[in-house]
Amino acid sequence: MAEKHIQGKIVAVCGKGGVGKTAFTTMLTRVLKDDPATGRLLVVDADPAMGLLYALGVDTSKSIGAVREKILEAAEKGTAGEKAEVAEQLDYLILNALQEADGFSYLAMGHMNAKGCFCSVNDLLHDSLAQLVNQFDTILIDGEAGIEQINRQVTDHVNTLLLVTDSSFRGQQTVKTIEKLVADGYVPACERMGVVLNRIPGDERSNEDLKKVFNLPVYGFIPFDSEVEQFDRRGESLMGLPAGNAALKAVRATIAAVDASER
């Protein structure tokens, strides 16, 4: 039997912009998709900037935001028949926004352009997304710095929340802010959370000092990697990193640490 990692789980990745969160999520996707224990993998890009799209090398212009706009347009301008037709097509529209890639599926939340409160529309989307999510064994969510949009849009349940930061003061403060939001109940079903330190020099003493900054467990140390930077600079997908890449190996170790924390 394949070794169990974070299969059958919902994993959310958050962190301040510029700390390499998207690169980490991409490498995490690479490691998970190559592990048979992961099962069916869905990667959800909950960041409106949709930067994960390019890092993964996925080619799509579809998003849940576009589906939402279509529903809103029917709600505001459509006839009763047109509204009913859109409601009946909702599951199909969401499924159509799903992009199949090599070893995983990808779903972009996209931009939500309309202003104001559209609770009924959001509830409708949430219910349909919940049905879709239940078809996968592992869900990996790439979010913004905050976690509210993950809880509101994608799922009511997060098994593991990974807070990615570099060694900067602002990155560390973002982690502490998110920790407080979780403690205050913004994600009541979050079972565990920990820190992933990214783009660090790799000095053991420095790593131990960084650990002391947080009240949370530190699951991983991802070193600054020139090969990752070169891929990014050339616009190449990080899914193509060689198996022996140092950063990729560190991501594998991070998954092992998450797994160990469950026992």
Side-chain angles (χ1 to χ4, degrees):
M1 179 179 292
E3 182 182 355
K4 175 184 175 294
H5 287 306
I6 47 181
Q7 70 178 116
K9 303 293 172 62
I10 297 178
V11 182
V13 180
C14 296
K16 186 184 79 66
V19 299
K21 174 179 62 64
T22 296
F24 169 75
T25 304
T26 304
M27 289 186 284
L28 186 54
T29 301
R30 162 73 182 277
V31 171
L32 288 175
K33 87 174 188 71
D34 290 343
D35 184 353
T38 299
R40 286 202 69 199
L41 172 63
L42 173 64
V43 181
V44 179
D45 190 352
D47 189 335
M50 292 173 63
L52 186 62
L53 177 77
Y54 306 103
L56 288 171
V58 177
D59 182 17
T60 183
S61 58
K62 303 170 185 176
S63 73
I64 294 301
V67 174
R68 184 176 185 268
E69 296 301 319
K70 185 168 184 175
I71 300 171
L72 286 174
E73 185 178 357
E76 293 174 350
K77 302 176 184 178
T79 64
E82 288 171 337
K83 293 176 184 178
E85 184 179 353
V86 169
E88 290 175 1
Q89 292 179 344
L90 182 56
D91 288 346
Y92 166 77
L93 291 171
I94 289 180
L95 189 61
N96 193 48
L98 192 69
Q99 180 72 27
E100 295 298 328
D102 181 18
F104 65 97
S105 300
Y106 171 84
L107 185 68
M109 296 307 296
H111 297 278
M112 304 297 185
N113 295 323
K115 306 293 183 183
C117 178
F118 300 96
C119 295
S120 61
V121 172
N122 288 335
D123 288 345
L124 197 62
L125 276 173
H126 189 282
D127 292 344
S128 291
L129 279 169
Q131 293 181 38
L132 175 66
V133 163
N134 285 335
Q135 298 176 26
F136 292 86
D137 302 303
T138 303
I139 317 295
L140 175 59
I141 305 171
D142 182 26
E144 294 181 284
I147 53 175
E148 189 177 356
Q149 92 286 1
I150 290 176
N151 195 41
R152 184 176 68 247
Q153 294 179 3
V154 185
T155 178
D156 292 320
H157 187 93
V158 174
N159 296 99
T160 303
L161 183 61
L162 300 179
L163 308 180
V164 180
T165 182
D166 54 16
S167 58
S168 69
F169 176 78
R170 286 192 300 167
Q172 294 171 21
Q173 289 303 116
T174 298
V175 166
K176 292 179 179 179
T177 299
I178 296 173
E179 180 186 3
K180 185 176 186 305
L181 287 172
V182 174
D184 289 343
Y186 280 87
V187 183
C190 181
E191 296 174 11
R192 74 187 62 77
M193 60 179 166
V195 181
V196 177
L197 287 153
N198 193 34
R199 294 177 177 168
I200 57 171
D203 176 77
E204 191 170 330
R205 172 185 269 180
S206 175
N207 290 354
E208 288 302 315
D209 289 340
L210 285 169
K211 269 188 178 181
K212 298 173 185 176
V213 173
F214 307 102
N215 296 319
L216 296 168
V218 176
Y219 287 134
F221 296 91
I222 316 301
F224 174 83
D225 190 275
S226 59
E227 194 169 26
V228 170
E229 296 297 312
Q230 289 169 13
F231 267 67
D232 189 47
R233 190 163 47 247
R234 294 193 299 259
E236 296 181 29
S237 169
L238 296 179
M239 299 295 282
L241 284 169
N245 175 269
L248 204 56
K249 289 168 69 174
V251 173
R252 290 193 190 97
T254 299
I255 293 176
V258 173
D259 179 46
S261 73
E262 298 177 1
R263 295 171 182 162

